[in-house]
Amino acid sequence: MKKSFAALAALAAALSALSTSALAAGLTPLEQRWIAGMTPVLQHARTAGMPVDIVVQPQEAPEAAPLALGFKDGRCKFVLSLRGNPEGDATTQRLPAGLEDSALELMAAHELGHCRRYLEGAWFNLPAGFSATPVPEGLSPDLQRAYVSMKSVRREEGYGDLVALGWTAQRHPDQYAALHAWLMQERSRDLLPGSHHDTLAWIKLARDPKALGSAPSMFDAALPVWQSGLNVDED
């Protein structure tokens, strides 16, 4: 995930207008589909005063994540890289039948969790009272840096997944079990244990939505479960 990038096409000054025909001009059907699905989360962010924009990469990006978050000039950039990107079509095909919009919301809420961490200046930082696991001995300086980066990214991905599940628990409680299972399945695909996107330890802690508590904010709901996972991950 990149922390900053050139804003190639800022598509929404007001997210409430995302579904209008004027905005749709120039977008592919797949881009329109993803933006429409993410709109409730993005509208929520704007209502809450979070500085968010949508950027659509106009060039082909076959190696990029279909959806990622960047941070530039104090603003969170939801970056869609769907053109010429087989993973965009593949991800769309893997969305749970009948729950496609809710799954896209979950994905957007995950990125909003990253946005919150950036805005708080907490990106890659552990909460008070936690310390990082020592780097294994015998690694070269490059591998030491890679290890620290991998651990840091995994922590942030775990938090993002819990924010996404917090959104789901609050907005789609009747769909929670199905979407939790789908997220588990997605995180299990091509899994390398301990790698950047191995967030299963956190997702398992939130199998029961009651684990996320009753905090009105999905960010606050995610925090205690995230910290519980850190107790294991940083042990």
Side-chain angles (χ1 to χ4, degrees):
M1 181 176 299
K2 297 180 180 179
K3 293 185 179 180
S4 62
F5 45 83
L8 297 174
L11 297 180
L15 292 175
S16 60
L18 279 175
S19 61
T20 65
S21 58
L23 180 61
L27 298 181
T28 68
L30 188 59
E31 289 162 352
Q32 294 178 46
R33 178 71 187 88
W34 280 52
I35 291 173
M38 297 188 301
T39 294
V41 175
L42 300 171
Q43 288 178 329
H44 171 82
R46 291 297 291 267
T47 299
M50 297 179 72
V52 297
D53 303 311
I54 295 180
V55 173
V56 171
Q57 300 279 29
Q59 76 276 14
E60 293 191 357
E63 302 298 326
L67 174 65
L69 188 97
F71 193 70
K72 181 177 176 64
D73 299 331
R75 299 188 65 82
C76 297
K77 309 288 187 176
F78 283 70
V79 184
L80 284 175
S81 301
L82 297 173
R83 302 186 185 190
N85 187 352
E87 185 55 28
D89 290 316
T91 301
T92 304
Q93 293 298 317
R94 293 197 307 270
L95 295 176
L99 302 177
E100 293 87 352
D101 285 342
S102 298
L104 288 168
E105 288 180 32
L106 183 151
M107 293 166 61
H110 171 101
E111 303 301 339
L112 200 63
H114 292 337
C115 176
R116 174 67 173 260
R117 293 276 291 167
Y118 275 119
L119 293 172
E120 291 180 339
W123 187 253
F124 278 6
N125 292 336
L126 283 163
F130 288 85
S131 57
T133 304
V135 177
E137 297 181 359
L139 297 180
S140 68
D142 285 346
L143 287 178
Q144 290 179 24
R145 287 189 291 270
Y147 177 85
V148 171
S149 176
M150 181 178 66
K151 291 275 291 185
S152 299
V153 170
R154 184 165 71 248
R155 290 196 300 263
E156 298 297 342
E157 292 297 322
Y159 178 75
D161 280 353
L162 291 172
V163 169
L165 290 171
W167 169 273
T168 302
Q170 292 176 5
R171 300 303 180 105
H172 306 292
D174 57 325
Q175 301 172 3
Y176 186 89
L179 289 168
H180 181 277
W182 173 75
L183 182 58
M184 281 280 295
Q185 184 177 30
E186 283 295 295
R187 288 308 195 195
S188 299
R189 292 183 62 255
D190 304 321
L191 177 66
L192 294 175
S195 61
H196 301 73
H197 287 87
D198 180 8
T199 63
L200 293 178
W202 284 282
I203 299 174
K204 290 175 181 177
L205 290 174
R207 188 182 306 276
D208 186 341
K210 292 179 181 178
L212 294 163
S214 57
S217 163
M218 57 184 163
F219 307 112
D220 293 339
L223 190 59
V225 187
W226 185 56
Q227 291 179 339
S228 294
L230 290 176
N231 282 324
V232 177
D233 196 56
E234 300 301 330
D235 189 5

